[in-house]
Amino acid sequence: FYLDDEYQWKGPFYFIQGADPQFGLMKAWAVGDTNNGDDEWGEEIKLAEQAVQAINKLNPKPKFFVLCGDLIHGMPGTQWRKDQEQDLKNVLKNTDQDIPLVFVSGNHDIGNTPTSETIDNYCKNWGDDYFSFWVGGVFFLVLNSQLYFDSSKCPELKQAQDVWLNEQLAVAEKHNCKHIIVFQHIPLFLRKPDEDHDYFNLEKSVRQEIMEKFHKAGIKAVFSGHYHRNAGGFYKGLEMVVSSAIGCQLGEDPHGLRVVVVTDEKIVHRYYSLNELSSQGIEKELLDMLAKQN
């Protein structure tokens, strides 16, 4: 990922975004006990396996597979958490070794109000809670959105991420990258930049500050999960893309993954159900975009 030649644009490519495999939520939701009802996750294992098999069959291969948070349902300190993590790792091990995995921390991974301890624990299991990488002239930022949601127990960690983010945006400017793309678990907003704050988006003043910073930095798109439904909208030139879950659906969407094609000019994406992606793969229109030589 970090090779020098990744600073260079080499033509269109694509990646896969998934969100919220959240092992344990389906049963918890079904029994109406989201705090303790997550003692079974066989259904989610099957869905995650289907996602991995669908991705492995794709040709050409995606540049990477990013999972936008809520890897598991068990909150820090709860009973089934270790088993859920291990079962997810066992499924993800089967991802084609040429397809790197990128993990984003969600509220269930580090807690609604994270602490340095819960974040440290996440990092030991899944890697850094925020980082950046380059792919073919495109700059990607992975953020810990819990620090924007409630950093009351670790204000110094929020401050560290803010300082780091400003540094990264300065680097991006210097390298004259094609696009900047952000991954975070909680969406900035679901449909409109000025919508009211609730559980599924960020608080309005925090949101406004981030949106303006992203817009000024020329960030093209933010990809999130958390909502367990597809949604999204625009703030000026910034697209907010909210993808539904691999796991439990809270709306009418199918279990699925998003295919994201990055071209010279734009970022084009489409949500596929797992069944559709497994049986038919990526549609011709998107494949044609990938085949275009710059």
Side-chain angles (χ1 to χ4, degrees):
F1 260 18
Y2 295 95
L3 304 173
D4 280 348
D5 67 340
E6 290 302 342
Y7 291 131
Q8 307 304 317
W9 174 253
K10 304 192 200 62
F13 64 86
Y14 82 103
F15 62 86
I16 302 287
Q17 181 213 10
D20 303 88
Q22 204 156 343
F23 282 21
L25 177 58
M26 288 172 88
K27 181 178 177 201
W29 190 255
V31 300
D33 181 357
T34 50
N35 293 330
N36 314 294
D38 61 333
D39 59 345
E40 288 173 38
W41 49 91
E43 195 66 37
E44 283 100 338
I45 290 177
K46 284 202 199 92
L47 290 161
E49 284 172 344
Q50 190 185 356
V52 167
Q53 285 157 5
I55 291 168
N56 286 347
K57 280 200 326 209
L58 295 173
N59 186 20
K61 287 188 200 311
K63 286 285 185 191
F64 59 88
F65 171 28
V66 57
L67 272 169
C68 279
D70 283 1
L71 306 173
I72 53 164
H73 183 65
M75 285 279 188
T78 57
Q79 187 176 2
W80 308 110
R81 185 175 168 92
K82 284 259 182 297
D83 293 342
Q84 290 168 354
E85 286 179 335
Q86 194 50 57
D87 284 352
L88 178 58
K89 285 178 183 178
N90 291 342
V91 172
L92 293 174
K93 271 183 199 140
N94 298 316
T95 309
D96 186 312
Q97 61 190 34
D98 296 331
I99 305 172
L101 291 165
V102 177
F103 298 107
V104 181
S105 63
N107 56 307
H108 282 262
D109 305 311
I110 58 177
N112 285 323
T113 306
T115 64
S116 57
E117 190 185 8
T118 64
I119 290 174
D120 195 43
N121 193 2
Y122 168 87
C123 294
K124 286 195 178 91
N125 264 301
W126 304 104
D128 291 340
D129 59 322
Y130 57 88
F131 56 97
S132 64
F133 60 94
W134 289 83
V135 175
V138 177
F139 191 46
F140 292 92
L141 292 162
V142 172
L143 298 179
N144 178 344
S145 56
Q146 251 9 75
L147 296 175
Y148 295 128
F149 194 80
D150 182 359
S151 62
S152 57
K153 291 192 177 157
C154 55
E156 71 292 348
L157 295 182
K158 177 189 188 291
Q159 196 185 354
Q161 178 173 255
D162 288 345
V163 168
W164 172 86
L165 179 58
N166 291 337
E167 286 165 356
Q168 296 297 307
L169 294 176
V171 165
E173 191 173 28
K174 195 179 83 197
H175 278 285
N176 194 13
C177 52
K178 268 285 177 220
H179 306 290
I180 312 174
I181 296 174
V182 170
F183 299 119
Q184 59 186 57
H185 179 61
I186 300 181
L188 298 168
F189 58 89
L190 299 174
R191 291 194 171 81
K192 296 195 174 76
D194 61 350
E195 70 197 17
D196 287 341
H197 166 55
D198 66 21
Y199 174 78
F200 288 112
N201 60 21
L202 291 179
E203 196 273 314
K204 276 172 112 165
S205 62
V206 175
R207 179 198 316 167
Q208 186 57 43
E209 192 182 327
I210 298 170
M211 289 189 308
E212 201 40 44
K213 175 184 283 202
F214 284 4
H215 167 66
K216 281 207 178 88
I219 291 171
K220 291 276 175 70
V222 177
F223 289 88
S224 293
H226 189 53
Y227 192 43
H228 296 253
R229 284 154 282 208
N230 286 310
F234 283 87
Y235 172 78
K236 300 180 181 175
L238 172 74
E239 185 176 10
M240 182 66 240
V241 185
V242 184
S243 292
S244 198
I246 294 170
C248 188
Q249 299 300 316
L250 301 183
E252 303 300 307
D253 295 297
H255 305 278
L257 294 165
R258 193 172 290 277
V259 172
V260 186
V261 176
V262 182
T263 75
D264 197 2
E265 270 96 53
K266 57 190 181 193
I267 294 149
V268 182
H269 52 86
R270 178 168 168 219
Y271 186 84
Y272 289 84
S273 74
L274 294 179
N275 294 339
E276 197 182 2
L277 200 59
S278 310
S279 58
Q280 290 152 24
I282 299 174
E283 76 212 84
K284 186 171 183 310
E285 188 192 351
L286 293 185
L287 288 172
D288 287 348
M289 290 177 115
L290 288 169
K292 282 210 175 86
Q293 285 309 311
N294 285 29

